[in-house]
Amino acid sequence: MGLEQKLGNMGVVTARLEDAVNWGRTNSMWPILFGLACCAIEMMSMQASHYDASRFGMELMRPSPRQSDLMIVAGRVSRKMAPVLRRLYDQMAEPKWVIAMGDCASCGGIFNNYAIVQGVDEIVPVDVYVAGCPPRPEALIDGIMTLHEKIRGESMKDWA
Amino acid sequence: MDKNMPEPDAYSAKIKQAHPEAIESVVDFRGERTLVIKQEFLRDVCLLLRDDEDLRFNYLEDIVADDMLPEYPRFAVNYHMCSTINKHTVRLRVPVDDPDDGPETVASVWPIASWLEMEVWDLMGITFKGNDQLRRLFLPEDWQGHPLRKDYPLGYEEVQFSFNWELIDAKKPYAKD
Amino acid sequence: MTDGASPGENDRPIPASDIVHELTVEELRAKYGSGLVITSEDNMLLSMGPQHPSTHGVLRLLVELDGETVVNLAPDIGFLHTGVEKTMESKTYTKALVMTDRLDYLAPLSNNLGYVMAVEKLLDVEPPPRAQVIRLILTELTRIASHLVWLGTHALDIAAMTVFLYTFREREYLLDIFEMCAGQRMMASFFRPGGLWRDVPEEFVPAVRNFLEFFPAKIADYEALLKRNPIFLDRTKGVGTISADDAIAWGLSGPSLRGSGVDWDIRKAYPYMGYEEYEFDVPVGEKGDIYDRYWCRMLEMRESLKLVEQALDRLPDGPVTIDDWKIVPPPRSELGRSMEAVIHHFKIWTEGFKAPEGFVFQRIESPRGEFACYLRGDGSPKPARVHFRTPSYVNLASLPLMGKGVFIADLVAIIGSIDIVLGEIDR
């Protein structure tokens, strides 16, 4: 990351650099295999051939957190699972993003009780929330596109 | 409607013969037969039901614990079983007064009972005598309390509407990293 | 094993109980009691953790390994515990129905059916014939959809990836049918106490008939990929066997039980919803290994097609809900005309219908085995106790029996073959 620090704010050069790096980051984001409950089935449907996720570079779902950069929290997070989730998030390498897929990950969903964490943003910082119970694969793809737009708008100050 | 139930007194007669004071009452509701059994006789009755040639209840389907708080006795443990050979079904209901002094385990009769009793202990807190595998299964190991009891709160978070949005937002623990 | 985070890095300190710490052998022995007896200090204890590509959800298996051979294993569940049973006690019967979809999320209409039939048994009402037949059609289609997901993920675990793509393609067609009826692809909540939510649209019958025409060729496709594949046969024949007596003693049910040679199907033993009037066979295996369970499920898909065809042929006309406005909300066209309808509408949607006192136990055959619902009413509009006897929870208890002495790669195949869904196990 030393290049950006040396170049500073040199106008056209840094703008082009930002575009290139952001383009590279969005076009081959590898999600971590983190399907917990029903939303995972819709995430699998998104991976399958009907709503192909491979056209976004996401056909590889890596089980290892070290090799992935997007965590799609798909499903309800129970209190027993919360420390596991945090640990996996910490093991992911920068840059990393989190999509809270579904109502249970966004706000606890229909389960407002002792056992479910009311929204996964109590544990990890979330970039995009996708609503639905479960959200259609198209809604999830819309969430991923929103995340891509967000990343493309990032500047060098946000990176390091 | 259970079409495969034998005559009304077939089980009760056999059980009365072997253990006369075991049955407290017989309830027939919506076509299902329930035998209310006293806690001390449970394991013997289960052995009889499994081994008797006419009954042969070899399949334990479920163990369900019930909490009827204002009533006395407070808890009841239901055993649902069926026979794959004769296709009968029956439910044994054991009223339990003190949850720490529950019925004896029937794991020696049907091995699956140890697994089912684990769930009952975890969520309702009824200890089964003789089952040394009672541990926290669904909840984290250090959880206190037994959630399915009626005096355990639901633990819900207040719903954020627009009039109390900021109030609840300030108290909500967001992750800052 | 290095820890990814140290407690000082975050703004908010993580309490000590939240950190998942490594346990020594003594601590494990003390904690798990005689459930996991560690036979020798030389063996390795592996935690096939909650996040794992092949455990079909968040299941954690503590496996004691001697090299590659599994010596002992204990399942550790609870990572998806939702407190459904307690939450349903605080909602009315109709509002609680929505939660039943989320238990076994691969066959949501099947869970709906179990709960709704229990409520109807408690209320002592019977839905009209058209509702029964449509329920049967949708339940059997759900069975096919669930077996398709099972086949896709099971084959994916055994590294046959094409089957996964094929089965999900067919499943999209079924999800279109569910969406056409209920508006939701997966969690339809289409069955309500007293009948259905609403009548099926006109495109339903042609769509289902179209499905019946092209689907048998697709099953033949899947079999062509797997049935004579030497790798698949080597990995599944003779692996993970369980005997019939063990299976019954350990409460196994569904295709896993039938694979061991026991002819036990709730649809035949305690017929419900009109199953006694249809002609269908129940496939039964012989040896109880993974291949037999796979074969039972493939044949079951064909039997479901037969059932759907027979049901479509005898679909009667008529209402889809019973005529009792105390339980079923009145149609909106009546609300403008009748004061009674308005009162009933108000009572149902605010307070809910009251169920009598008593307890019932309704069992059905879900794609995974015997699904049953214990329901106790106490005269109030909310259920006093709901309990679901879910097949995956009980089937999981046989995993240690099936998994002793196999390689760890076989363990992955065995988990897939007993077809567990963690939402059902953890409720």
Side-chain angles (χ1 to χ4, degrees), chain C residues 71-299:
Chain C
V71 172
N72 202 353
L73 72 95
D76 184 17
I77 59 181
F79 291 96
L80 204 58
H81 178 61
T82 324
V84 163
E85 299 179 355
K86 180 134 186 115
T87 312
M88 281 169 93
E89 286 174 20
S90 63
K91 302 200 183 288
T92 61
Y93 285 95
T94 318
K95 290 186 185 163
L97 170 74
V98 174
M99 306 211 152
T100 60
D101 283 306
R102 275 99 186 147
L103 290 170
D104 172 6
Y105 37 81
L106 295 179
L109 284 170
S110 167
N111 309 356
N112 271 351
L113 183 70
Y115 175 73
V116 162
M117 285 182 75
V119 175
E120 285 172 355
K121 200 172 188 180
L122 187 63
L123 294 170
D124 207 11
V125 298
E126 192 155 316
R130 184 174 166 89
Q132 302 251 30
V133 176
I134 294 180
R135 278 184 184 180
L136 195 137
I137 296 176
L138 286 172
T139 309
E140 291 303 319
L141 289 178
T142 309
R143 193 183 308 271
I144 297 178
S146 169
H147 284 326
L148 283 174
V149 178
W150 160 80
L151 184 61
T153 49
H154 188 213
L156 192 64
D157 288 342
I158 306 189
M161 190 163 168
T162 324
V163 186
F164 172 77
L165 295 172
Y166 282 6
T167 55
F168 270 73
R169 179 191 61 190
E170 260 66 79
R171 192 161 172 268
E172 291 296 327
Y173 196 83
L174 283 171
L175 293 177
D176 278 345
I177 294 183
F178 296 145
E179 195 181 10
M180 178 199 304
C181 301
Q184 238 277 25
R185 278 157 52 105
M186 277 167 59
M187 314 298 177
S189 298
F190 193 53
F191 306 151
R192 302 289 165 100
L196 305 173
W197 171 47
R198 63 170 195 185
D199 205 351
V200 290
E202 331 167 310
E203 303 92 17
F204 178 71
V205 174
V208 179
R209 285 214 190 270
N210 189 16
F211 180 75
L212 289 175
E213 269 177 34
F214 74 74
F215 195 61
K218 305 291 183 191
I219 303 187
D221 265 349
Y222 312 143
E223 286 179 1
L225 281 172
L226 290 175
K227 192 165 142 190
R228 274 187 275 268
N229 188 337
I231 300 180
F232 186 74
L233 292 176
D234 257 346
R235 283 196 74 168
T236 57
K237 276 210 187 266
V239 179
T241 45
I242 186 166
S243 69
D245 293 322
D246 268 343
I248 295 181
W250 282 90
L252 209 57
S253 56
S256 314
L257 176 66
R258 295 197 277 278
S260 300
V262 180
D263 187 5
W264 182 248
D265 187 331
I266 306 288
R267 296 175 289 176
K268 293 276 196 195
Y270 308 115
Y272 55 94
M273 205 169 60
Y275 271 110
E276 61 267 15
E277 295 159 24
Y278 295 86
E279 275 183 37
F280 64 104
D281 300 314
V282 172
V284 176
E286 280 165 39
K287 290 196 292 285
D289 56 8
I290 301 181
Y291 187 78
D292 278 345
R293 296 194 275 270
Y294 151 84
W295 195 228
C296 277
R297 290 194 177 97
M298 298 299 280
L299 288 175

Side-chain angles (χ1 to χ4, degrees), chain B residues 4-18:
Chain B
N4 295 311
M5 263 199 325
E7 283 76 42
D9 287 315
Y11 319 135
S12 324
K14 290 214 184 248
I15 299 177
K16 275 206 186 77
Q17 217 174 9

Side-chain angles (χ1 to χ4, degrees), chain B residues 30 59 61 65 119 137 150, chain C residues 122 363 370 384-385 427:
Chain B
R30 303 279 189 259
Y59 194 86
E61 288 175 309
E119 179 199 349
L137 200 62
K150 295 282 185 190
Chain C
L122 187 63
R363 34 174 91 76
E370 179 184 332
R385 172 84 168 106
R427 276 168 262 135

